[in-house]
Each structure stands twice: as C-alpha cells, then as structure tokens.
Amino acid sequence: MKTSKTIIGVLGGVAVGAAIGILFAPDKGTNTRKKIADKSNDTKQSIINSIKELLDTFSEKYDSMLTKAEELVQEGKEEFNNAKQQITK
C-alpha cells in the first residue's frame, strides 16, 4: 500500500512540476496549452499504467494465497482421513 501512495505522489509531483514549468516558459498561448494537454495525457497514461501494475500485483498475491489455502485444505482432508482410518482399525 505504501508503494502505491509513493507512486501516486511522485507522479503527481511530476505533473505539477511540468505544468508549472510550462506555464512559466515564454511561449505562445496555443503552444503552451498544447504542451499542457500533451503532458496531462502522458501523466494520465502513466498513472493508469501504475494502477494496472498495482492491480496485477494484488491479483498475483491473491491467486498465490488462494492456491496455498486450497493446498492446506487438501492436506487437512488427507490428515483427517488418515486419522479416521487409524481410529477405525
């Protein structure tokens, strides 16, 4: 969870810094607006990619935990059956 907050913070800082830099750069208004729009789209895409990576990580961890849980349940069933067979002997 800390990683996602760090990533979002860094991306937000980059976006704000870029916007301020563009606003104070001596250029025509149309060029400045185009640069801001382009940088906004780049930042948006970067944030989307970071969120996708974060979701993939969560998904992988969930799948791993689910597999381990299923293995533990199977082991528990086997142990139960073994104990049951020893009692009935």
Side-chain angles (χ1 to χ4, degrees):
M1 199 61 137
K2 277 189 170 187
T3 303
S4 65
K5 288 182 181 180
T6 302
I7 291 171
I8 291 172
V10 168
L11 292 175
V14 168
V16 169
I20 289 173
I22 291 171
L23 288 173
F24 286 104
D27 206 352
K28 287 183 169 182
T30 55
N31 291 340
T32 300
R33 286 189 295 276
K34 183 176 179 347
K35 287 179 184 178
I36 290 172
D38 290 344
K39 194 54 111 168
S40 296
N41 288 334
D42 292 344
T43 302
K44 180 179 96 174
Q45 192 59 44
S46 179
I47 290 171
I48 288 170
N49 290 340
S50 295
I51 290 172
K52 285 181 181 178
E53 288 176 15
L54 186 63
L55 290 175
D56 288 343
T57 300
F58 284 142
S59 178
E60 289 171 8
K61 289 188 180 197
Y62 172 79
D63 290 341
S64 174
M65 289 174 49
L66 184 61
T67 301
K68 287 180 182 179
E70 288 172 346
E71 289 172 359
L72 284 173
V73 168
Q74 186 61 34
E75 288 176 16
K77 285 180 181 180
E78 290 171 3
E79 288 293 323
F80 176 76
N81 288 334
N82 289 340
K84 185 175 159 183
Q85 287 176 354
Q86 288 179 358
I87 292 173
T88 57
K89 287 184 180 179

